[in-house]
């Protein structure tokens, strides 16, 4: 995955395994101990996780093994695959929806979104789509997904595949 800020600077980059695809999108797996890069330097994943890259949406969703959060929704531009579909690129729009293990979903980084909206000059349609995606993610990602898939349980088998592979 290659995640950039709106000005093109690196936000995060790491290698993930393509696990498969279903009606929700493409599922990527990252084992515990995977090394990635960010603007702050190298980091190592503390837990395994799967990332859902949905089709045509302004978000991605990460579902983590314990002790990570159950859900980490990243509001971003619509993810784009390279021509051979081996790499995905997206622009991070700062807003995140986080559901801690057993807790309620909440929005993080609203101040960063407001700051970057001015600094990077987010066009109004980007602001509108980011806010829309954030509100939708927060509602859909409620505790235990409140029945909304893929946030309720659809991610479980994908995370299980990754656990078996590590």
């Amino acid at each position: 995955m290659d995640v950039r800020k709106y000005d093109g600077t690196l936000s995060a980059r790491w290698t993930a395994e393509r696990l498969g695809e279903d009606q929700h999108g493409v599922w990527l797996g990252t084992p515990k101990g995977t090394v990635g890069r960010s603007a702050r330097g190298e980091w190592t994943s503390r837990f395994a996780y799967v990332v859902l890259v949905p089709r045509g949406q302004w978000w991605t969703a990460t579902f983590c093994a314990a002790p990570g959060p159950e859900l980490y929704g990243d509001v971003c531009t619509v993810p784009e695959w390279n021509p051979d579909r081996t790499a995905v690129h997206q622009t991070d729009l700062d807003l995140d929806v986080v559901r801690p293990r057993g807790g309620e979903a909440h929005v993080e980084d609203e101040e960063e979104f407001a700051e970057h909206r001015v600094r990077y000059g987010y066009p109004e349609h980007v602001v509108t789509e980011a806010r829309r995606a954030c509100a939708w993610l927060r509602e859909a990602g409620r505790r235990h997904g409140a029945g909304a898939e893929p946030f309720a349980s659809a991610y479980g088998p994908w995370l299980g595949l990754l656990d078996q592979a590590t």
Side-chain angles (χ1 to χ4, degrees), residues 12-138:
R13 180 186 301 138
W14 70 98
T15 300
E17 175 187 356
R18 186 185 183 107
L19 299 174
E21 190 167 349
D22 65 11
Q23 70 272 25
H24 304 294
V26 176
W27 293 88
L28 306 173
T30 302
K32 177 180 178 178
T34 297
V35 176
R37 294 196 183 285
S38 73
R40 297 179 187 165
E42 279 193 357
W43 51 269
T44 302
S45 61
R46 296 175 296 140
F47 38 79
Y49 56 90
V50 293
V51 178
L52 170 61
V53 181
R55 295 170 200 87
Q57 300 298 317
W58 286 68
W59 56 269
T60 58
T62 300
F63 302 93
C64 304
E70 288 180 288
L71 166 66
Y72 189 95
D74 187 25
V75 175
C76 58
T77 58
V78 175
E80 296 180 3
W81 293 92
N82 67 349
D84 64 1
R85 295 186 56 83
T86 58
V88 64
H89 310 274
Q90 66 193 51
T91 301
D92 179 16
L93 296 174
D94 313 308
L95 295 170
D96 301 305
V97 173
V98 179
R99 184 176 73 212
R101 202 152 294 285
E104 294 294 332
H106 63 275
V107 177
E108 292 187 355
D109 299 329
E110 291 178 280
E111 301 81 22
E112 186 179 2
F113 176 76
E115 178 187 324
H116 288 174
R117 177 183 181 188
V118 173
R119 180 188 303 170
Y120 300 140
Y122 293 170
E124 197 54 41
H125 81 280
V126 169
V127 172
T128 299
E129 289 297 332
R131 286 187 173 147
R132 182 195 58 74
C134 186
W136 184 87
L137 270 173
R138 183 172 186 204

